[in-house]
Amino acid sequence: MHSQLSGNDLLIGELKEQLDGLRSNQEQNLAALNSWQIEQEQVTGQLEHRTKQFNENIKNIKQEMQELHAQQPEDRLYSRAQKMVKLGAGIDELVAECQLPKVEAEMLIAMYQRQSSSKK
């Protein structure tokens, strides 16, 4: 019986060592998990910040595109007016065809004439 008690004591000692080892592993795993969780929270914060910046950039680009789109008809009229001036159109023609104010039509013709005279 005495040997049986000794055997049980040894077994209990081994089980305690195993339990201590498991606790130590559990503590290490928990510390690693906490560290990983903190890292993931930081990464999430960075991604949220980048996403916000990205969305702001998209918003700004859309606004710029809308502004450019709104300007296009006016730009086309000026391009058309310049072509007409090169082909010899007069002030009244530019006013009627391109819907330009008379002063702007006069200015376009004067600019074209200066450019033409400076190239010669």
Side-chain angles (χ1 to χ4, degrees), residues 106-119:
E106 290 171 347
M107 186 176 65
L108 277 173
I109 290 173
M111 286 174 51
Y112 178 73
Q113 289 172 346
R114 281 190 201 143
Q115 286 176 351
S116 295
S117 65
S118 68
K119 288 181 182 178

Side-chain angles (χ1 to χ4, degrees), residues 62-80:
K62 283 181 178 180
Q63 184 177 358
E64 288 175 15
M65 287 176 61
Q66 288 174 346
E67 290 172 5
L68 286 173
H69 187 26
Q71 291 175 355
Q72 277 184 336
E74 188 175 297
D75 291 346
R76 284 189 215 144
L77 290 177
Y78 281 107
S79 294
R80 183 173 177 208

Side-chain angles (χ1 to χ4, degrees), residues 14-75:
E14 288 176 13
L15 289 174
K16 283 184 180 180
E17 284 180 29
Q18 287 179 358
L19 183 59
D20 289 341
L22 290 173
R23 282 185 183 152
S24 176
N25 284 344
Q26 184 182 20
E27 289 172 4
Q28 289 174 356
N29 289 340
L30 185 58
L33 182 61
N34 286 336
S35 175
W36 180 84
Q37 184 178 8
I38 290 169
E39 183 180 329
Q40 293 306 309
E41 288 171 358
Q42 290 172 346
V43 168
T44 300
Q46 290 173 354
L47 288 174
E48 287 172 352
H49 177 71
R50 288 181 184 175
T51 301
K52 183 179 177 183
Q53 285 180 325
F54 181 70
N55 287 334
E56 287 176 14
N57 288 343
I58 289 174
K59 181 181 173 183
N60 291 338
I61 290 170
K62 283 181 178 180
Q63 184 177 358
E64 288 175 15
M65 287 176 61
Q66 288 174 346
E67 290 172 5
L68 286 173
H69 187 26
Q71 291 175 355
Q72 277 184 336
E74 188 175 297
D75 291 346

Side-chain angles (χ1 to χ4, degrees), residues 83-101:
K83 288 177 186 175
M84 288 176 66
V85 168
K86 288 179 184 178
L87 295 172
I91 294 171
D92 293 333
E93 254 185 295
L94 293 176
V95 170
E97 292 293 322
C98 299
Q99 302 170 346
L100 294 176

